[in-house]
Amino acid sequence: MWRSSISLQRWQLFILVGVTGFCVSADHNKDPFAIRISCGARRNVHTPPTDTLWFRDFGYTGGRLANASKTSYITPKLETLRYFPLSDGPENCYIINRIPRGRHYLVRLFFALVKDPAVDSEPLFDISIEGTQIYSLQPGWSTVEEQSFVEGLVFVTGTSIAICFHSTGHGDPSVLSIEILQVDDNAYSFDPTHGKGTVLRTAKRLTCGTGKPAFDEDYDGDHWGGDRFWLGVNTFDQGSDMAISTESKIIQASVPPNFYPQRLYQSAIVSNDRQPEISFQMEVDPNKNYSIWLHFAEIDPRITKEGQRVFDILFNGDLKFNDVDVIQMAGKQFAALVLNQTIAVTGRTLTVTLRPTNGSHAIINAIEVFEVITAEFKTSAEEVTALQSLKSALGLPLRFGWNGDPCVPQQHPWSGVDCQFDSQSSRWVIDGLGLDNQGLRGFLPSDISKLQHLQNINLSENSIHGVIPSSLGTLTKLETLDLSYNEFNGSIPESLGRLTTLQILNLNGNLLSGRVPANLGGRPLHRASFNFTSNAGLCGIPGLPSCGPHLSIAAKVGIALGALFAFVLLLVCMTCWWKRRQNILRAQRIAASREAPYAKARTNFARDVQMTRNQHGQDQSRNAAEGGPSLLT
């Protein structure tokens, strides 16, 4: 019934996780990954007394920055937070990248209130890590110290981790700080599939023998609540959900220097003669599985050897560990021992009872209770990428959110997205898009073809423009395609005719033109509905205008290329003729401006010569007439 023969070193490995929040990585040459984010901070913050570094909040998510009103003394000494108005979408996520893949991490979140009376004083919302919802904040969380934070142990397969906050309609989610701390791969190994298919959410963590909750000053440790009771029978502290049903003795040990770690085991509760049993009662959520970790160390100086203290351990009255002898199982006094058991709890109470069976009375140092949550299967990475591309192309408003995983947690799928689980790939896939009448003004990207499991698409009554991508013809499971009353232009892709499963095709009310593909217009419409009306440029089927001679796509392309070539050639010829004419005119103008004085001088000289010749001829004629002709004999 109990686990024995465990070396001290191995148990110390387990305990170190509970004490410090992370432990040394399996690769001792590398420091374990750790990041702390002061949400809403514009610069890095260092907190006393150990000068702990909290990184500024930049580039991880959306939302708004605000000053914080802290809820309890265990919260880190930070003054800002980030909150997410519903107008920014119902899902908002911190995405932390570049973390070592295939590792276990402790994720711890602290919450606070917005220091603004205009903002809801105490929001209620859900929290998920890597697509698995781990907690829902309950009314009154801001007044109960143990409810102002949530933490979980998760196994991360990729190189990033998504921490999401989901609005439930009761105020705007707000977060004070985020810590991601790598833990050893063997820490809290409670079953053979440890961590890879489960998330461990901290439900209770108690240091027995101390009177109040405690949190490590350096913020490296987990929140360890105290028993929160003073000596007595069935006593409750106000606001506590813990009770102890015994008169007990609190032991404060003088721990030897080699006993590690000291803080966890420096106190314990030991039963007494009046009521030898120790019984802890804790309020838990019903119908859940809980992994219970019990920490022991024999710090009572009166117990020095085996057989002096032996007891049984019962959970809700069922015997789980019998004849527990701490010294025997741990190997010696002042040595750590951890026992673990996972049980199903149907009611709202978990009772841990230690019942002595031999020798002295029972003893216990600390208790940890984790809710075992089955990790959600995630959505196909390729389809998530396609949806993000669609979000950008369609210009989805912030109110849609579309952050995190589209399909998980199943309580909070993306608005307008229908999911279906694919058992073959063990992944969620997208089988429907319903974004009708949402005021969308973008275009439909060809990446939509990556959503190969789509059966229904309804984008009607928006203002989506551009052409209908021919890649839609590869969605072989598509049954409904409604793109009506948008601003699509161009022709209807021939590829749509290959969708043999298509039953509803609404393309009416667009700006489409050209001939309706024959494999659509001529298909028998038995139990099918195709609508191409209210497209002024469509033709070719009954109810639409008739088309001219039908040309194939290749012929249309050839004609278009020929016309383009002829136009370019004509443009080149006209350009050459115009440039040649301009050159001729320019040359004539230059020549005219240079030769004008010389031409004038030559004209005047020629005129003078001509006049001189005319005058000389007249004189000769006159002399001849006067002298008379010569007489010939």
Side-chain angles (χ1 to χ4, degrees), residues 119-194:
V119 180
D120 194 322
S121 59
E122 187 185 69
L124 304 179
F125 52 93
D126 296 340
I127 302 103
S128 69
I129 301 175
E130 284 295 278
T132 300
Q133 182 165 315
I134 66 168
Y135 196 63
S136 299
L137 288 180
Q138 302 300 315
W141 65 264
S142 61
T143 61
V144 180
E145 294 163 355
E146 296 177 354
Q147 295 183 17
S148 62
F149 83 106
V150 63
E151 69 178 14
L153 283 161
V154 299
F155 179 80
V156 180
T157 57
T159 58
S160 65
I161 186 169
I163 303 167
C164 300
F165 308 95
H166 308 273
S167 176
T168 59
H170 300 86
D172 301 327
S174 58
V175 57
L176 179 73
S177 66
I178 295 176
E179 296 173 86
I180 302 175
L181 311 172
Q182 183 181 341
V183 302
D184 191 274
D185 292 341
N186 295 319
Y188 292 102
S189 179
F190 64 97
D191 66 15
T193 61
H194 162 56

Side-chain angles (χ1 to χ4, degrees), residues 2-249:
W2 44 265
R3 301 183 180 183
S4 59
S5 302
I6 304 297
S7 67
L8 174 60
Q9 290 78 11
R10 183 177 178 186
W11 285 122
Q12 287 175 346
L13 182 66
F14 288 149
I15 296 165
L16 184 56
V17 180
V19 176
T20 65
F22 63 87
C23 57
V24 179
S25 171
D27 186 352
H28 297 287
N29 296 323
K30 297 181 180 179
D31 292 331
F33 177 88
I35 184 172
R36 297 177 176 85
I37 301 171
S38 175
C39 299
R42 298 180 183 273
R43 58 182 61 87
N44 294 346
V45 179
H46 293 264
T47 54
T50 57
D51 202 35
T52 301
L53 171 62
W54 299 82
F55 289 101
R56 66 187 180 121
D57 188 1
F58 177 77
Y60 298 109
T61 186
R64 318 289 173 83
L65 310 183
N67 292 325
S69 176
K70 291 184 290 186
T71 56
S72 72
Y73 80 93
I74 65 173
T75 57
K77 296 178 176 62
L78 303 171
E79 298 181 353
T80 61
L81 56 71
R82 185 179 290 271
Y83 74 102
F84 305 97
L86 187 58
S87 58
D88 287 1
E91 293 88 32
N92 289 274
C93 304
Y94 272 79
I95 308 296
I96 292 88
N97 296 313
R98 293 183 293 181
I99 67 173
R101 67 168 64 242
R103 300 293 185 183
H104 293 82
Y105 294 91
L106 177 72
V107 179
R108 182 188 295 120
L109 315 171
F110 276 97
F111 307 108
L113 303 178
V114 176
K115 201 173 184 178
D116 185 350
V119 180
D120 194 322
S121 59
E122 187 185 69
L124 304 179
F125 52 93
D126 296 340
I127 302 103
S128 69
I129 301 175
E130 284 295 278
T132 300
Q133 182 165 315
I134 66 168
Y135 196 63
S136 299
L137 288 180
Q138 302 300 315
W141 65 264
S142 61
T143 61
V144 180
E145 294 163 355
E146 296 177 354
Q147 295 183 17
S148 62
F149 83 106
V150 63
E151 69 178 14
L153 283 161
V154 299
F155 179 80
V156 180
T157 57
T159 58
S160 65
I161 186 169
I163 303 167
C164 300
F165 308 95
H166 308 273
S167 176
T168 59
H170 300 86
D172 301 327
S174 58
V175 57
L176 179 73
S177 66
I178 295 176
E179 296 173 86
I180 302 175
L181 311 172
Q182 183 181 341
V183 302
D184 191 274
D185 292 341
N186 295 319
Y188 292 102
S189 179
F190 64 97
D191 66 15
T193 61
H194 162 56
K196 294 180 174 61
T198 57
V199 176
L200 292 181
R201 181 189 68 83
T202 304
K204 301 292 175 187
R205 185 179 284 117
L206 307 156
T207 52
C208 302
T210 185
K212 64 179 182 179
F215 193 85
D216 282 1
E217 290 182 347
D218 61 0
Y219 304 112
D220 283 341
D222 292 345
H223 169 75
W224 286 84
D227 290 321
R228 303 176 60 116
F229 68 95
W230 299 108
L231 299 184
V233 179
N234 291 325
T235 56
F236 291 81
D237 186 21
Q238 183 178 2
S240 173
D241 55 6
M242 269 296 305
I244 185 171
S245 181
T246 186
E247 289 189 3
S248 306
K249 180 180 180 181

Side-chain angles (χ1 to χ4, degrees), residues 480-551:
T480 300
L481 177 60
D482 192 344
L483 305 179
S484 60
Y485 300 106
N486 279 284
E487 298 174 5
F488 287 104
N489 53 43
S491 60
I492 299 175
E494 298 276 351
S495 60
L496 295 186
R498 297 195 294 267
L499 299 177
T500 58
T501 60
L502 198 61
Q503 295 295 310
I504 297 176
L505 175 62
N506 293 333
L507 302 179
N508 51 302
N510 282 285
L511 306 175
L512 299 172
S513 60
R515 182 184 295 272
V516 175
N519 47 11
L520 286 177
R523 182 185 300 181
L525 298 183
H526 176 63
R527 302 181 63 182
S529 172
F530 290 2
N531 192 340
F532 305 104
T533 61
S534 300
N535 286 280
L538 285 181
C539 61
I541 63 172
L544 296 178
S546 59
C547 300
H550 179 68
L551 297 176

